[in-house]
Every structure is written in C-alpha cells, then in structure tokens.
Amino acid sequence: MASTPRIDVNEIDSVKVVRLLDRQLFDERTVRDVADQIAAILPNDGTPIRLVLDFSDVALISSSLLSKLILFQRRVDSSRGKLRLCELSPVLQQVFRTSNLDRLFSIDRDQRASLAAF
C-alpha cells in the first residue's frame, strides 16, 4: 500500500526543494513517512546533497522530527553538501532556538534566500 504523499519536490538549479505538506508533523507515522519520502529523493552515489526544506505549511513539529532532521544534516554533511531550512513560522523558529538547533541548521526567511545561499 502506497503511503500518502507528504512532500512536494521541485528541482531548481540542481537543488532539491522539498515542501512539507502536513500542517502537523507530530505523530510517529507521519514523521516516519516524511523522513522516508525525503530520503528516497536524495542521491546515494556520493554526490553532494543540495537540499532546501520548506516549512511554509507546517505549524507543529515533534522532537522525533527534529531527530530525523539532525540525521539528514549529518547525511548532507558527509556528502559535502548543503541543507537549508526556510519559511519557519515564529513558533517553529522558537522551537529551533530553544533546542539550540538554530546553531546546527542554516535557517532562511524564505525559499529565495535559501536558494541564493547555494
């Protein structure tokens, strides 16, 4: 049984732009589906991963999602690539600040700023 599409993927100048489609990324199944769908679009051939995660539609995230994002950051780093997050609501920005993850992740105001950073 195919899972519900939880991401929308575009490629702009060889950067994968992933828009997260769920309003709440909180329950374990949703978080797992999102992580699996993102992992499926990333290259496994050693080329640098160039990825933007767009949180425009997201209002709530869990610590489980934060853990998955940390794993993605490690995978991107090991590929000598770049991961940027954008369009975080003030609530999500506060979550990243409170957990000190704003130091680990590159967070941009909008998708254009994220793409310009590549």
Side-chain angles (χ1 to χ4, degrees):
M1 183 170 97
S3 62
T4 305
R6 303 212 177 267
I7 62 173
D8 179 50
V9 183
N10 288 304
E11 190 156 329
I12 301 170
D13 296 330
S14 75
V15 176
K16 295 219 187 279
V17 178
V18 175
R19 186 170 183 153
L20 306 170
L21 300 177
D22 288 277
R23 193 99 184 104
Q24 297 186 356
L25 295 171
F26 208 76
D27 70 274
E28 201 56 44
R29 181 183 180 137
T30 302
V31 169
R32 186 177 55 246
D33 286 352
V34 166
D36 290 350
Q37 290 175 26
I38 293 170
I41 63 149
L42 299 179
N44 278 324
D45 59 4
T47 59
I49 297 169
R50 298 162 47 95
L51 180 64
V52 172
L53 296 179
D54 182 333
F55 285 79
S56 298
D57 298 325
V58 180
L60 184 65
I61 60 175
S62 68
S63 58
S64 178
L65 180 74
L66 293 175
S67 297
K68 300 281 190 196
L69 292 175
I70 292 167
L71 293 174
F72 281 126
Q73 183 66 61
R74 287 184 184 155
R75 182 170 169 192
V76 168
D77 289 346
S78 69
S79 79
R80 294 175 310 287
K82 212 183 253 191
L83 168 64
R84 303 199 64 93
L85 311 181
C86 68
E87 302 283 356
L88 276 73
S89 70
V91 170
L92 293 185
Q93 289 176 30
Q94 187 60 43
V95 168
F96 278 84
R97 268 195 302 277
T98 302
S99 58
N100 284 325
L101 290 175
D102 58 335
R103 297 177 185 185
L104 174 64
F105 295 103
S106 300
I107 301 173
D108 300 302
R109 180 178 167 171
D110 56 30
Q111 198 178 106
R112 189 171 53 207
S114 288
L115 289 168
F118 284 90

